[in-house]
C-alpha cells in the first residue's frame, strides 16, 4: 500500500479489484442466505438463479424443522427480474415435494407470463405442485435420476363432508390439469390417466415418472443437467430481438416539429401583372341593382273605408 501527497493510503489496482471481488462474494452469500437465489457474474450473459426447494409454503407457516420455499419471497423476486434490464435470463432449479396448491400456481403463472427467457431444471424430485412449476418455464430439463409424482389434489385436516367439497376439489384439479397441459406436450386425457393410476403407489393413487418417462410422456422437454440448462438459456437470450427504446409521445396539443430547412419564397410576379390576391367584394355591382318601390298597403277584407273629413265653415266672400 502506498500513500498519496496528503499522506492518505492509496490502493493499487490489484487491491481495488480484490476488494470488489470480496464485496461481490459477500453480497452473493447474503442473497443466498436470505432468499435462496443468486445472480452470478462473469458468464456470457447475466442470469438469475432461483431455487424452489423443500415444501412450497402458502398462507400457513409450517413448522421450523421443515425446509420451505416461501411464495411471498419468490413473487417479488420474479417481478424484480422482469423489470431489471441487466438480467437477461432466469434459471429455476427445483427439488420440491410440493406444497400449497394456490401458492404454487401463483408462482407458476408468474413464470409463464414473463418475457424474460426462462429455463427450469428438475433435480431430485418435482412432485405434486412441482409439476406445474417445472413446466411453467419456456424450456424444461430433468436429470435422469430425478422423479416427478403426478397425483390428484389432496387435503389434510378437518373437512366438511358435503358435495360442495368434492366440487371444490374437482374445480381445483381442473385448474392444475389445464395449466400443465397448456404449458407442456402431454394430452389432458393421458395426464388424468396418470393421476388416477391406482396400481403403483401403495398408500395413494398416482404415478411416479423418472426422467426418461417424463420426457416420453411429453411432460418435460428434454433430459439434461446444469450445463445443458445454461446453454439453452443462453440460446433463448441470444435469439431474442434487440429491444428498442420507445420514443416519448408528444404532449397533448403540441404541434409536430418540422425539420429545419430553407423557407420557400413566393415566385415573383410577371412585370405588368399584379399578383393574384384575395378577390375584393364588388360593392358597385351590388349598388347598381334596381331598387324596387315599396308595395302599396293591401286593404283587408271586411274593413270600412276611412271616414271623410268634416266640411268646415264656408269662407266669407270678399266684398
Amino acid at each position: 500500500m502506498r500513500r498519496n501527497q496528503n499522506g492518505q493510503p492509496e490502493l493499487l489496482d490489484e487491491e481495488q479489484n480484490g476488494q470488489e471481488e470480496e464485496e461481490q462474494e459477500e453480497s452473493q452469500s447474503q442473497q443466498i442466505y436470505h432468499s435462496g437465489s443468486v445472480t452470478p457474474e462473469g458468464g456470457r450473459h447475466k442470469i438469475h438463479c432461483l431455487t424452489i426447494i423443500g415444501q412450497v409454503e402458502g398462507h400457513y407457516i409450517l413448522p421450523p424443522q421443515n425446509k420451505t420455499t416461501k411464495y411471498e419471497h419468490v413473487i417479488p423476486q420474479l417481478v424484480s427480474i422482469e423489470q431489471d434490464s441487466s438480467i437477461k435470463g432466469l434459471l429455476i432449479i427445483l427439488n420440491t415435494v410440493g406444497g400449497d396448491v394456490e401458492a404454487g400456481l401463483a408462482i407458476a403463472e408468474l413464470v409463464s407470463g414473463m418475457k424474460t427467457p426462462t429455463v427450469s431444471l428438475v433435480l431430485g424430485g418435482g412432485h405434486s405442485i412441482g409439476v406445474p412449476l417445472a413446466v411453467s418455464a419456456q424450456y424444461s430439463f430433468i436429470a435422469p435420476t430425478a422423479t416427478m409424482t403426478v397425483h390428484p389434489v389432496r387435503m389434510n385436516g378437518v373437512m366438511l363432508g358435503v358435495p360442495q367439497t368434492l366440487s371444490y376439489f374437482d374445480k381445483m384439479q381442473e385448474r392444475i390439469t389445464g395449466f400443465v397441459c397448456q404449458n407442456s406436450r402431454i394430452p389432458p386425457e393421458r395426464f388424468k390417466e396418470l393421476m388416477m393410476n391406482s396400481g403403483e403407489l401403495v398408500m395413494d393413487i398416482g404415478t411416479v415418472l423418472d426422467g426418461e418417462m417424463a420426457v416420453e410422456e411429453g411432460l418435460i422437454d428434454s433430459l439434461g443437467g446444469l450445463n445443458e440448462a445454461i446453454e439453452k438459456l443462453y440460446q433463448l437470450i441470444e435469439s431474442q430481438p434487440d429491444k428498442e427504446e420507445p420514443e416519448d409521445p408528444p404532449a397533448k396539443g403540441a404541434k409536430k416539429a418540422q425539420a429545419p430547412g430553407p423557407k420557400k419564397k413566393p415566385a415573383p410576379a410577371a412585370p405588368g401583372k399584379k399578383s393574384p390576391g384575395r378577390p375584393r367584394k364588388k360593392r358597385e355591382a351590388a349598388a347598381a341593382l334596381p331598387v324596387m318601390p315599396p308595395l302599396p298597403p293591401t286593404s283587408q277584407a271586411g274593413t270600412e273605408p276611412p271616414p271623410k273629413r268634416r266640411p268646415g265653415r264656408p269662407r266669407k266672400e270678399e266684398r
Side-chain angles (χ1 to χ4, degrees):
M1 182 183 295
R2 62 185 181 184
R3 298 181 180 274
N4 55 14
Q5 297 178 356
N6 299 330
Q8 297 178 354
E10 183 178 355
L11 297 177
L12 299 175
D13 294 340
E14 296 179 356
E15 295 178 352
Q16 290 180 353
N17 294 336
Q19 283 189 357
E20 291 178 357
E21 291 178 357
E22 290 179 0
E23 291 176 356
Q24 288 181 0
E25 292 178 358
E26 185 179 356
S27 63
Q28 287 183 1
S29 61
Q30 291 180 357
Q31 187 179 11
I32 294 172
Y33 176 78
H34 290 290
S35 61
S37 62
V38 65
T39 307
E41 301 283 349
R44 200 159 69 204
H45 299 283
K46 185 178 179 180
I47 64 175
H48 185 88
C49 178
L50 175 67
T51 58
I52 299 177
I53 58 177
Q55 190 169 352
V56 179
E57 188 179 81
H59 303 297
Y60 298 97
I61 299 176
L62 296 175
Q65 66 269 17
N66 289 24
K67 183 72 69 174
T68 61
T69 297
K70 299 180 182 296
Y71 82 107
E72 67 268 21
H73 293 173
V74 176
I75 290 177
Q77 289 186 61
L78 297 176
V79 177
S80 176
I81 293 167
E82 183 72 2
Q83 292 295 314
D84 193 348
S85 59
S86 64
I87 298 177
K88 304 301 181 181
L90 172 63
L91 175 64
I92 305 172
I93 297 180
L94 293 105
N95 186 10
T96 176
V97 296
D100 190 273
V101 174
E102 291 188 348
L105 273 181
I107 298 174
E109 286 285 359
L110 279 181
V111 173
S112 65
M114 293 178 67
K115 192 176 182 180
T116 304
T118 55
V119 171
S120 64
L121 173 61
V122 180
L123 299 173
H127 310 301
S128 189
I129 200 62
V131 176
L133 290 170
V135 304
S136 62
Q138 296 178 10
Y139 200 89
S140 57
F141 286 91
I142 186 170
T145 58
T147 58
M148 304 183 74
T149 304
V150 181
H151 62 77
V153 176
R154 299 172 300 181
M155 184 178 293
N156 54 6
V158 180
M159 293 180 293
L160 296 176
V162 292
Q164 288 82 352
T165 303
L166 300 177
S167 176
Y168 173 73
F169 281 2
D170 189 29
K171 291 179 181 179
M172 186 177 295
Q173 188 62 61
E174 288 296 328
R175 290 161 57 192
I176 297 174
T177 304
F179 182 86
V180 171
C181 297
Q182 189 176 5
N183 291 273
S184 65
R185 294 178 286 107
I186 188 170
E189 296 78 12
R190 180 56 180 167
F191 188 72
K192 292 180 181 179
E193 184 180 349
L194 294 175
M195 281 193 308
M196 299 303 175
N197 184 16
S198 59
E200 186 166 344
L201 299 179
V202 178
M203 301 294 292
D204 198 357
I205 60 174
T207 305
V208 179
L209 302 173
D210 59 8
E212 293 183 1
M213 293 177 61
V215 176
E216 291 176 1
E217 295 289 350
L219 201 59
I220 300 297
D221 293 321
S222 178
L223 284 173
L226 181 60
N227 183 32
E228 290 80 5
I230 293 179
E231 285 298 324
K232 183 63 179 179
L233 185 57
Y234 286 163
Q235 292 178 11
L236 293 177
I237 294 172
E238 292 167 0
S239 64
Q240 276 197 330
D242 296 335
K243 297 180 181 179
E244 297 181 357
E245 296 183 359
E247 298 180 357
D248 296 334
K252 189 175 181 181
K255 296 181 179 179
K256 294 183 179 179
Q258 297 180 356
K263 295 183 179 180
K264 295 183 179 180
K265 296 182 179 180
K273 293 184 180 181
K274 294 183 179 180
S275 59
R278 188 175 295 178
R280 297 180 179 179
K281 296 181 180 179
K282 298 181 180 180
R283 296 181 180 178
E284 298 177 358
L289 293 175
V291 180
M292 299 295 293
L295 298 175
T298 57
S299 59
Q300 298 180 359
T303 56
E304 297 180 359
K308 296 180 180 181
R309 295 187 64 180
R310 184 176 178 182
R313 293 181 180 179
R315 292 182 180 180
K316 295 181 178 181
E317 297 178 357
E318 294 182 359
R319 296 180 180 177

